[in-house]
Amino acid sequence: MLFDLRPKDNKANLFDREAELSKVINYVGKLNIPITIVLGLRRVGKSSLILVAIKELNMPTIYIDLRKFEERQYLSYRDFILELQHNINELTRRFPKLVDFLKGISGVSISGFRVSFSWKSNNRVSFAQLLDALNDWASDGVIVVLDEAQELIKARGFNILPTLAYAYDNLRRIRFIVSGSEMGLLYRFLRIKDPESPLFGRAMDTIELTPFTRGQAIEFLRRGFEELNIEFKDYDEVYGKLGGVPGWLTYLGLKYYEYRDLSRAIDETIDYATALIRREFGNFLIDKQSAKDRYLAIMRMVANGCVGWSEVKRGLEALTGIEVSDSRISEYLRQLLDSSWVIKVNDKYCPAEPLISAAFKA
């Protein structure tokens, strides 16, 4: 069903992403690209695209969903390795022979077909050695998904970039899919263009999902309501108020099905979306408390109409009553751009999507 709030995992329910799906399948399956990057705003359908691609590829997969760490200030090796442990135990249940390839790895304990990983510094399991074992085991390859991988920029006490580089160069059966909604932050984490980065110089193919156009949004809604046997005509009103982010259109479809009242459905969708956006912005501010009021002020300026750099500077100085350095202004805007809260359009800073604007309007 198109109006299902959960990520899609069936090709029949993945609307109008045929080209992007074909690319993922080709990059990961046919071309054996070591690392494929999937980018897009929040709720634009990245997880659905990846899940459907995995199903179509029919390869053993480890899916590490890093969204659960969005509210954390930092990410420990224990956090990461327990997620990996859970996923590998899912594989050993399906493929018991995998256990034989994990035996003998330092920091791995085995009981029957269940494995446990140590994260203690004197005996912690090596991510690289686990990938070695998976590479040796999987004759047709293994997919490792790092969903919302920019969260790994919070890692403390470990760094997976050298392991990604090692796997890229040496493990021909391991393919990574790395996704991110905070696009600039993801690239800052990967440091692909940094000569000091382990991943410098490695080619990666990138697929970017964008919100639906007006035509795509109308067709998505039309098909969704058709599945529910509902006649609907007010497509332009919905697109004008909600934009083309599939997650918001899906929520609207369900609410209209429930109420059969468009105004109420739109209002509830906006209330739901803006509350969620504000909560997510709160997560963004976790490590920025000293500048919290300044970031909020910038978002309120942007929400009321695209603004230039100088307007942001004047607005912040009016708020604080003191001079704010040019470098500080640039850093605030860079952080907001990197985390996909704002986008730059003709030297103006604008909300990344309409409901971000609604969430911060005064």
Side-chain angles (χ1 to χ4, degrees):
M1 186 177 80
L2 288 183
F3 293 161
D4 185 345
L5 291 174
R6 295 167 296 184
K8 311 297 190 291
D9 61 3
N10 190 301
K11 186 177 179 180
N13 293 325
L14 188 69
F15 176 79
D16 208 359
R17 299 298 195 193
E18 291 86 357
E20 294 89 346
L21 179 62
S22 178
K23 285 181 181 179
V24 177
I25 290 171
N26 285 332
Y27 293 164
V28 176
K30 294 181 181 179
L31 300 178
N32 196 16
I33 302 296
I35 300 177
T36 298
I37 299 174
V38 179
L39 300 174
L41 296 175
R42 301 164 186 84
R43 287 164 291 274
V44 83
K46 298 182 302 300
S47 296
S48 294
L49 177 71
I50 293 168
L51 289 170
V52 172
I54 288 168
K55 191 169 187 178
E56 293 293 306
L57 287 161
N58 194 29
M59 293 167 60
T61 300
I62 291 171
Y63 196 114
I64 300 178
D65 188 348
L66 293 154
R67 288 175 298 179
K68 66 170 59 179
F69 302 111
E70 284 180 340
E71 297 181 9
R72 303 273 195 92
Q73 282 189 288
Y74 69 90
L75 179 63
S76 70
Y77 193 65
R78 175 184 181 275
D79 297 325
F80 179 76
I81 214 65
L82 286 180
E83 282 300 300
L84 187 59
Q85 174 184 295
H86 170 74
N87 277 271
I88 287 184
N89 276 308
E90 291 288 325
L91 280 184
T92 59
R93 277 193 282 273
R94 293 174 54 207
F95 307 103
K97 289 185 178 180
L98 172 58
V99 172
D100 294 334
F101 290 82
L102 299 170
K103 290 176 180 175
I105 298 177
S106 179
V108 175
S109 302
I110 297 174
S111 176
F113 294 117
R114 178 170 178 77
V115 298
S116 298
F117 299 152
S118 172
W119 58 84
K120 294 184 178 179
S121 57
N122 62 345
N123 187 39
R124 78 180 192 178
V125 67
S126 162
F127 184 33
Q129 289 185 346
L130 291 172
L131 293 178
D132 275 331
L134 288 165
N135 186 72
D136 292 341
W137 163 71
S139 58
D140 294 324
V142 174
I143 300 169
V144 179
V145 179
L146 300 174
D147 197 1
E148 299 295 355
Q150 72 276 346
E151 294 300 319
L152 286 165
I153 206 166
K154 302 175 183 176
R156 300 294 180 269
F158 73 104
N159 179 7
I160 73 163
L161 294 189
T163 301
L164 293 183
Y166 167 74
Y168 188 109
D169 293 340
N170 299 285
L171 305 182
R172 303 299 182 192
R173 299 189 184 100
I174 304 292
R175 287 89 152 191
F176 287 92
I177 299 176
V178 177
S179 82
S181 58
E182 300 177 24
M183 293 173 262
L185 196 60
L186 177 62
Y187 280 123
R188 263 207 283 156
F189 162 65
L190 294 172
R191 296 167 51 214
I192 297 168
K193 297 182 179 179
D194 180 356
E196 302 300 317
S197 170
L199 290 174
F200 179 71
R202 270 85 174 176
M204 303 178 194
D205 283 291
T206 301
I207 297 151
E208 183 171 353
L209 295 186
T210 57
F212 292 151
T213 63
R214 174 184 172 277
Q216 289 170 323
I218 288 172
E219 182 62 14
F220 174 78
L221 290 168
R222 188 192 68 76
R223 290 194 196 176
F225 286 126
E226 188 177 76
E227 287 181 343
L228 299 173
N229 296 314
I230 293 175
E231 289 189 13
F232 189 82
K233 296 180 180 178
D234 298 310
Y235 301 110
D236 285 327
E237 182 176 355
V238 172
Y239 184 73
K241 292 186 177 178
L242 304 184
V245 172
W248 306 142
L249 297 175
T250 298
Y251 194 86
L252 177 281
L254 287 176
K255 289 301 163 183
Y256 186 79
Y257 176 71
E258 182 179 353
Y259 303 137
R260 309 300 170 99
D261 181 327
L262 183 58
S263 294
R264 185 178 177 187
I266 288 175
D267 288 346
E268 190 157 327
T269 301
I270 292 173
D271 288 346
Y272 166 77
T274 54
L276 188 55
I277 288 166
R278 291 186 194 112
R279 191 186 77 190
E280 291 171 345
F281 194 73
N283 294 336
F284 164 78
L285 293 173
I286 284 174
D287 61 348
K288 303 173 181 65
Q289 290 303 302
S290 63
K292 173 183 175 181
D293 291 342
R294 296 183 180 193
Y295 280 109
L296 284 169
I298 293 171
M299 290 306 300
R300 287 171 183 143
M301 290 181 229
V302 168
N304 286 294
C306 298
V307 295
W309 189 95
S310 297
E311 294 170 86
V312 172
K313 182 175 174 66
R314 287 196 297 271
L316 285 186
E317 290 181 342
L319 171 74
T320 60
I322 59 172
E323 182 179 3
V324 183
S325 70
D326 290 357
S327 61
R328 284 286 179 89
I329 301 293
S330 295
E331 175 62 14
Y332 298 148
L333 290 169
R334 184 179 73 88
Q335 292 279 358
L336 291 168
L337 284 166
D338 282 354
S339 297
S340 300
W341 290 104
V342 301
I343 56 175
K344 201 169 182 181
V345 180
N346 297 327
D347 292 326
K348 296 278 189 178
Y349 297 90
C350 307
E353 55 109 342
L355 291 189
I356 289 178
S357 179
F360 292 97
K361 274 189 176 175

